[in-house]
Amino acid sequence: MIKIAHESPKAIFDDVRRFTDYDYALVHLFEEDKEYLEQFKESVRKGREVILDNSIFELEEAFDADKFAYWINELRPTWYIVPDALENTKKTMSQMASWNIKYKDLPGKKIGVVQGKTYDQIRACYVYMTQMAQVDMVAISFDYSYYTRSVPHPNKYVSWMLGRVKLLGDMLRDGIINKDIPHHLLGCGLPQEFSFYKHADYDWLYSLDTSNPVVHGIKGIDYGQDGLWSKESQKLFELINMPLEDINIEQVRSNIQKFRWFTNGATPVGNIL
């Protein structure tokens, strides 16, 4: 079963944490929001698994490496995502090489993100991460521009969903996937994507993160039995300070339950019924 984390506003962090398998932190919020930082320190103290993200999706460029190393030492997460460069294979590999030289003794395990604009670039970056960079886990993004070319569709979210499914299937077919290390799926276009991985051939998929069920719950959008066919263009960090009275927690819980069913065919960790 794939481990699931959902980013959420601080006001419902404890509630969402009850129904997820681990917690996913955005490093750029640590410097400006001590309450946010403390919530994740509490997760670490509780023995929760925590992934610290470099916030590239939110900032469109990775967080400063020295500052990121500082926050890794401060939080001591289970995993951290080494700063990468969006769809830039050479820069991502170069940054990983520099990171491995400069930051050798950080707490936690290292995640390398695969980046590229073509199948060959993505494959080359993947091979570098899994064979040369000595990462503990490798991550694949939900929105490579490659997906809209490999699976063209008028609805880009369908392209993103089926594009990642096809990418993983192609890499598996070509013997590229290293099944001996865990894999992380970064974000999602449409929640029903993860139903494609309910098969023993994908037992190397370790975890995923997405705010999708939370954001859509906040927006009053209920998952249907077949998921969604559109997506709210709203980044969760922009809602981080939303007050509890403005959140329909029952709608959020319902979406979390349905998301877990799509992914693992199972009810959430907690009891939200």
Side-chain angles (χ1 to χ4, degrees):
M1 295 178 66
I2 302 176
K3 293 187 177 184
I4 300 170
H6 299 309
E7 302 94 314
S8 69
K10 290 181 296 182
I12 59 171
F13 182 88
D14 289 341
D15 195 276
V16 170
R17 182 165 54 184
R18 291 169 54 210
F19 309 121
T20 55
D21 303 301
Y22 73 98
D23 300 321
Y24 194 88
L26 302 174
V27 71
H28 78 287
L29 294 177
F30 284 178
E31 291 187 329
E32 62 193 58
D33 195 329
K34 299 308 179 186
E35 181 185 4
Y36 179 84
L37 171 62
E38 183 56 35
Q39 287 180 324
F40 287 95
K41 284 188 172 183
E42 181 186 22
S43 289
V44 172
R45 288 194 295 268
K46 288 177 176 287
R48 291 271 292 181
E49 195 169 2
V50 174
I51 292 179
L52 180 59
D53 185 78
N54 62 46
S55 294
I56 194 170
F57 180 69
E58 289 73 24
L59 302 176
E60 298 185 357
E61 61 180 14
F63 199 71
D64 177 80
D66 286 339
K67 289 182 180 179
F68 190 50
Y70 168 82
W71 288 115
I72 292 169
N73 277 312
E74 181 74 12
L75 179 64
R76 307 186 73 81
T78 317
W79 309 86
Y80 60 87
I81 299 177
V82 175
D84 52 313
L86 293 175
E87 300 203 354
N88 190 323
T89 302
K90 290 183 179 179
K91 187 174 181 180
T92 294
M93 293 191 299
S94 175
Q95 289 181 180
M96 175 62 75
S98 296
W99 182 274
N100 284 342
I101 293 171
K102 191 170 184 179
Y103 309 105
K104 294 182 178 179
D105 300 313
L106 294 173
K109 298 178 182 180
K110 182 173 55 182
I111 300 175
V113 180
V114 173
Q115 294 289 359
K117 292 183 178 180
T118 67
Y119 181 69
D120 287 344
Q121 289 177 359
I122 291 169
R123 180 177 60 187
C125 195
Y126 179 91
V127 170
Y128 173 81
M129 292 297 172
T130 56
Q131 295 185 14
M132 288 165 274
Q134 298 180 322
V135 299
D136 299 293
M137 181 150 64
V138 64
I140 308 290
S141 185
F142 80 99
D143 62 349
Y144 298 140
S145 61
Y146 169 69
Y147 297 150
T148 61
R149 298 190 299 276
S150 64
V151 186
H153 193 280
N155 183 342
K156 71 176 181 180
Y157 300 115
V158 172
S159 288
W160 288 354
M161 173 180 70
L162 296 181
R164 183 159 60 179
V165 173
K166 183 178 186 299
L167 173 65
L168 296 179
D170 289 348
M171 293 173 72
L172 196 59
R173 175 202 64 203
D174 295 343
I176 298 166
I177 295 295
N178 182 348
K179 297 181 180 181
D180 294 329
I181 67 171
H183 290 62
H184 179 82
L185 299 179
L186 288 161
C188 84
L190 300 173
Q192 60 268 32
E193 173 197 343
F194 304 98
S195 63
F196 286 92
Y197 309 129
K198 294 178 186 177
H199 191 279
D201 285 347
Y202 291 93
D203 60 3
W204 38 273
L205 292 178
Y206 179 80
S207 56
L208 68 88
D209 76 277
T210 177
S211 62
N212 193 285
V214 177
V215 168
H216 286 85
I218 288 172
K219 299 288 186 177
I221 299 171
D222 186 30
Y223 283 1
Q225 292 303 308
D226 58 350
L228 297 173
W229 295 103
S230 185
K231 180 181 178 179
E232 287 292 301
S233 298
Q234 176 76 66
K235 294 183 178 180
L236 191 282
F237 82 96
E238 297 168 341
L239 305 174
I240 203 70
N241 291 311
M242 177 171 279
L244 181 61
E245 57 267 24
D246 292 342
I247 300 173
N248 183 341
I249 189 61
E250 296 304 321
Q251 183 70 77
V252 171
R253 289 173 176 173
S254 174
N255 283 353
I256 288 174
Q257 182 184 43
K258 291 175 182 175
F259 185 95
R260 185 170 289 268
W261 185 84
F262 291 138
T263 305
N264 292 324
T267 54
V269 175
N271 177 14
I272 65 174
L273 300 178

